[in-house]
Amino acid sequence: MNTTTRTDAGTGGLPDSLTSRFEATFGAAPDGIWAAPGRVNLIGEHTDYNEGFVLPFAIDKRATTAVRLRGDSTVRLISTVGDQGLVEADAAALAPGTVIGWAKYPLGVVWALQQHGIEVPGFDLLLDSDVPPGAGLSSSHAIECAVVTALNELTGAGLTAEEMVTLTQHAENVFVGAPTGIMDQSASLRGASGRAVFLDCRDQSVELVPFQAQEHGLVLLVIDTKVSHSHADGGYASRRASCELGAEVLGVKALRDFGVADLVEASGLLDPVTFRRVRHIVTENDRVLQTVATLRSEGPAGIGRLLDASHASMRDDFEISCPELDLAVDTARSHGAIGARMTGGGFGGSAIALTPVQHEQQVRDAVVRAFAGAGFTAPDIFTVTPAAGAERVR
Ligand code: GLA
């Protein structure tokens, strides 16, 4: 596990202050400003690379980039987040594994666009973001999606949202070196205000499902455990490998094709660990479908037990939780949340807790107390609502 120092998130990229900072840094106004959100996943974890179902939403925290094309092939990047200097690179000489730090996200997008046959000239870019890094809320995908949206427009490439999803996944898998799926980019690029993104990861079809917790007297709390994770490390890849092994032994193209009713048969064919990994994916896919159906029939108040079951499955079968996430989930549940689970890739990051408004403060207080009592770093707790996907803001 890669435990990195966490820097504070930026301020959310107000267009006026970003424009003046850009001018002060680069000596001219940007061509435009583009923003893309982070995400939380309501349910459907590690199902994306098994060609299954996910239900994330774009959150009201986003990466904002001011960009101006240059006349040469030089790329200059600077971030307001943390104390990081100017990064300079040659757009014509990018290769996987050659860039470290946050610049690998925008430069990975440039590289992937080029791989796709799109010529990308040099540009100056200023990044701001209020998506907390390392919190499992896809801060890196938010950067990639803001950059791909900007460059798609500035180069006139005319890519569809689906193509931008595939392209940023390629950047992430090959340039960044994290073998992740398509969920995060899809939420960031295709999210909508007040809606969760019900995504079929086999064909990228999307249905936007209303998720307006506040209209039902609920809030969705994010509990950032402050335990950092990196999906370029071994845990994520080893889970993915187990799923691929499971699919191969069971004779299906992807675990998406295996049903809950078939699990009894699978137990005799797989070693115990692979069986538990498979069981998580198969039951999780089913929980996503049940969650969508429940949101439609009963609204968010009905999905608590599905969130709880998802967490138990990730803790016990997929084994991607950690003591901080379990404590956050258990404490939230025992102090009034109607459902809670870790969200994202796991091994750290954040939990979500669907909580009646009247219990919000007591859940927050209880989680802070429990973390202090356990000797854990104090968590960050905040609410999120489904927000618009990537867009030009100026
Ligand atoms: C990370 C990856 C996603 C997805 C989740 C787990 O966020 O980027 O593609 O696999 O983990 O659901």
Side-chain angles (χ1 to χ4, degrees):
M1 186 60 33
N2 178 16
T3 307
T4 47
T5 312
R6 294 266 291 270
T7 50
D8 289 336
T11 52
L14 293 174
D16 282 344
S17 63
L18 215 57
T19 299
S20 26
R21 273 183 96 145
F22 188 96
E23 283 172 353
T25 310
F26 296 118
D31 294 335
I33 298 179
W34 291 261
R39 63 100 188 90
V40 295
N41 188 16
L42 261 186
I43 196 159
E45 226 62 87
H46 286 256
T47 43
D48 60 352
Y49 55 79
N50 288 293
E51 300 185 17
F53 304 104
V54 291
L55 190 63
F57 65 77
I59 58 173
D60 44 339
K61 292 184 182 296
R62 54 196 200 165
T64 308
T65 53
V67 184
R68 176 170 167 272
L69 291 187
R70 297 166 53 92
D72 56 15
S73 69
T74 300
V75 178
R76 295 190 297 173
L77 308 164
I78 193 152
S79 169
T80 65
V81 184
D83 184 19
Q84 308 171 77
L86 187 84
V87 177
E88 205 168 303
D90 182 356
L94 296 172
T98 57
V99 182
I100 53 163
W102 75 276
K104 63 181 178 262
Y105 305 117
L107 292 176
V109 169
V110 174
W111 175 83
L113 283 162
Q114 292 167 342
Q115 295 289 303
H116 199 77
I118 296 160
E119 210 175 300
V120 185
F123 57 90
D124 293 332
L125 180 148
L126 170 65
L127 166 75
D128 191 23
S129 177
D130 64 351
V131 187
L137 302 177
S138 286
S139 58
S140 58
H141 290 101
I143 298 172
E144 291 166 357
C145 291
V147 172
V148 80
T149 305
L151 293 178
N152 187 37
E153 187 176 333
L154 288 171
T155 62
L159 298 168
T160 63
E162 287 91 329
E163 287 169 329
M164 289 193 275
V165 165
T166 309
L167 207 134
T168 48
Q169 184 195 22
H170 192 55
E172 186 79 11
N173 290 174
V174 183
F175 198 88
V176 176
T180 47
I182 61 167
M183 171 172 76
D184 305 339
Q185 306 88 322
S186 300
S188 185
L189 289 162
R190 305 179 72 184
S193 174
R195 301 283 184 272
V197 179
F198 174 36
L199 170 70
D200 180 337
C201 299
R202 173 158 276 169
D203 64 6
Q204 284 204 49
S205 57
V206 157
E207 274 177 62
L208 295 173
V209 180
F211 181 76
Q212 281 164 312
Q214 65 287 1
E215 287 184 3
H216 299 262
L218 297 165
V219 289
L220 192 74
L221 286 172
V222 171
I223 304 163
D224 173 4
T225 63
K226 299 282 179 173
V227 179
S228 283
H229 67 289
S230 162
H231 297 324
D233 292 339
Y236 188 97
S238 89
R239 295 308 181 279
R240 187 166 181 156
S242 291
C243 293
E244 281 159 10
L245 173 67
E248 194 186 321
V249 173
L250 297 172
V252 289
K253 177 170 180 281
L255 290 180
R256 146 72 171 274
D257 301 310
F258 209 75
V260 175
D262 303 324
L263 279 171
V264 179
E265 177 203 333
S267 67
L269 300 170
L270 300 168
D271 67 82
V273 171
T274 309
F275 174 69
R276 284 189 285 115
R277 306 295 189 248
V278 167
R279 183 166 59 187
H280 165 70
I281 300 300
V282 171
T283 58
E284 185 79 348
N285 267 328
D286 189 55
R287 281 186 289 270
V288 176
L289 299 178
Q290 286 189 52
T291 302
V292 170
T294 307
L295 282 175
R296 288 191 171 127
S297 59
E298 294 172 44
I303 69 170
R305 69 178 174 85
L306 293 159
L307 303 183
D308 293 345
S310 172
H311 186 76
S313 179
M314 290 187 285
R315 182 190 60 213
D316 303 336
D317 275 356
F318 220 57
E319 295 180 276
I320 54 171
S321 190
C322 65
E324 291 84 351
L325 284 167
D326 290 341
L327 185 64
V329 165
D330 293 345
T331 309
R333 281 296 278 117
S334 58
H335 287 81
I338 62 170
R341 61 185 287 278
M342 52 148 281
T343 187
F347 307 105
S350 296
I352 53 173
L354 189 59
T355 307
V357 174
Q358 69 271 24
H359 295 145
E360 179 184 345
Q361 197 55 49
Q362 99 191 21
V363 168
R364 285 174 177 266
D365 294 346
V367 172
V368 168
R369 264 197 323 271
F371 270 55
F376 296 157
T377 303
D380 243 0
I381 307 178
F382 49 91
T383 57
V384 286
T385 53
E391 60 186 354
R392 183 171 186 158
V393 294
R394 170 164 293 180

